[in-house]
Amino acid sequence: MADDPDERWLALACDLAELCPPSETAFSVGAVVVGPDGTELARGFSRESDPSDHAEEAALAKLASVPSGATIYSSLEPCGARKSRPRPCAELIVAAGIRRVVFAWREPSLFVEGVGDEYLRAHEVEVVELPSLSARARKPNAHLLD
C-alpha cells in the first residue's frame, strides 16, 4: 500500500479528516493537492478555518494557482451540490484546472445528492475511486451513519 502514491496520498487525506471539528450537519473530510512531480502543494480539512469550509475548498484556497497535471485527493467524493455555499467542490476543482481526482468514499445522500463524480466526469476530469480506504474515510463520520 505505501508504495502506491495514490493510496499513500489518499491515506493522508483520510488522516486529515480526523482533524475536523465534529458536526451533526456535515461530513468530516480531508483533502490534499499534489503536484505533477509528486510533491504536496496544499492540504485542508472540513471546517478548518470556517464552519462552512469543505476540505477541497480549504486546500484550494491556499494556492494562488494549480499547476497542470495536479491531482486532488479527498477522503469523500467531492460534493456536486451543497447548502452552505453557492459553489460545490466539484465545480471549484474544475475551475482550478485540476484534471484528476482520487477519493475513498462515495458521498451518501444524507445532506445532498452525491453527484460530484458525475459532474467531474462530465467536465473531463479523471476520477479514481479507491474503496479500499472507504472504511478509513467513514470512521470520523460514524456518528452520522448510525
Side-chain angles (χ1 to χ4, degrees):
M1 177 172 157
D3 290 342
D4 180 339
D6 281 347
E7 288 192 10
R8 187 175 66 245
W9 287 115
L10 190 53
L12 173 59
C14 290
D15 290 346
L16 290 169
E18 297 279 352
L19 301 175
C20 299
S23 173
E24 293 298 321
T25 60
F27 291 111
S28 293
V29 182
V32 184
V33 181
V34 177
D37 62 354
T39 60
E40 181 179 328
L41 301 176
R43 61 174 67 184
F45 56 89
S46 302
R47 300 173 298 285
E48 182 174 353
S49 59
D50 181 284
S52 295
D53 282 349
H54 283 198
E56 302 91 336
E57 174 184 42
L60 290 171
K62 295 172 184 165
L63 299 171
S65 65
V66 177
S68 177
T71 297
I72 191 164
Y73 295 86
S74 179
S75 59
L76 181 69
E77 171 188 6
C79 67
R82 71 190 285 186
K83 295 178 180 177
S84 59
R85 297 226 168 102
R87 294 182 81 190
C89 292
E91 188 178 315
L92 296 173
I93 289 166
V94 169
I98 293 178
R99 310 308 307 158
R100 186 167 188 268
V101 174
V102 180
F103 72 88
W105 179 34
R106 254 181 214 283
E107 181 174 15
S109 298
L110 186 60
F111 304 116
V112 296
E113 278 303 308
V115 294
D117 182 312
E118 292 84 350
Y119 181 91
L120 292 165
R121 290 176 191 273
H123 288 84
E124 300 179 0
V125 173
E126 177 189 353
V127 179
V128 177
E129 181 179 359
L130 295 181
S132 59
L133 289 169
S134 64
R136 200 161 162 182
R138 283 193 303 271
K139 185 179 171 212
N141 296 289
H143 65 287
L144 298 171
L145 306 173
D146 294 334

